[in-house]
Amino acid sequence: MRLLWATVIIGLAGCASSPVPPDWQFNAHGSLKNSVTAYLVGNSKLAAVEFSRVRAEIASTGRADLLARAELVRCAAQVASLEFNNCESFQALAQDAAAEERAYAEYLAGRWTGLNTALLPAQHRAVVAGTGAALNTIEDPLARLVAAGTLLQAGRLTPDAIAVAIHTASDQGWRRPLLAWLGVAARRAEQLNDKEEVSRIQRRIDLISNSGMPVR
């Protein structure tokens, strides 16, 4: 995910025609980060407001490829939170996106058969080539959660990967993905008829849900 952020930033900066970047670049970058953060902590309304600013700033340039990159960042946050929608907002712009972005979208959707992994960031190539154990080598927490989400979509999720995802979301205080991954763990415990574990997980879910800052 860190490399994807860098790609977006480099793409924006590459538009500058003078030593001083235009205001829209700073505005778009700041709003994109704010949108993703708001989404992860559970504030969908603020996330939508911030992303509308991103779209407006980028639209002023007429650069559909840059907007596609921004949409892909938003989609990655959704995958990290186990909200799968085939990156529809990106797909509408895919024809103007670079090959690397289109490959990343396929990766996010768990469509790994025939995927040209050479176009993916190195940390995600390792995920496709291996198993959930590769998550531990990813330093960026959001990228780690994204990778876990793709493993689920690809049908390669392991119990260890679930634990890594929960720990990562918890450490960051990201309520939306934490609730989603706790739900995955609870369903697995139910399948194993581990009532004690189900109760423990439910207590964590209740604590988050009753925190006064509900995910919405």
Side-chain angles (χ1 to χ4, degrees), residues 106-151:
E106 292 297 295
Y107 166 74
L108 290 178
R111 294 190 289 266
W112 295 357
T113 301
L115 179 62
N116 184 357
T117 56
L119 296 175
L120 297 176
Q123 56 194 358
H124 293 296
R125 290 200 297 269
V127 173
V128 175
T131 65
L135 296 183
N136 294 314
T137 67
I138 301 177
E139 295 183 4
D140 181 72
L142 183 51
R144 200 179 308 132
L145 284 174
V146 170
T150 64
L151 285 168

Side-chain angles (χ1 to χ4, degrees), residues 15-16 30 58 78 104 125 169 216:
C15 296
I58 297 178
Q78 292 169 344
Y104 190 77
R125 290 200 297 269
R216 59 191 188 279

Side-chain angles (χ1 to χ4, degrees), residues 159 162 184-198 201:
I162 298 173
V184 172
R187 288 190 292 274
R188 181 174 181 275
E190 288 172 352
Q191 292 171 354
L192 296 174
N193 198 30
D194 189 341
K195 296 181 180 179
E196 183 176 347
E197 179 67 3
V198 171
I201 294 171

Side-chain angles (χ1 to χ4, degrees), residues 59-99:
S60 69
T61 71
R63 290 284 302 276
D65 61 321
L66 293 183
L67 184 54
R69 291 180 188 178
E71 290 285 5
L72 202 55
V73 170
R74 182 165 67 157
C75 179
Q78 292 169 344
V79 169
S81 304
L82 306 186
E83 296 189 11
F84 307 127
N85 58 19
N86 195 36
C87 297
E88 292 179 0
S89 56
F90 169 80
Q91 296 301 336
L93 300 162
Q95 62 183 348
D96 293 309

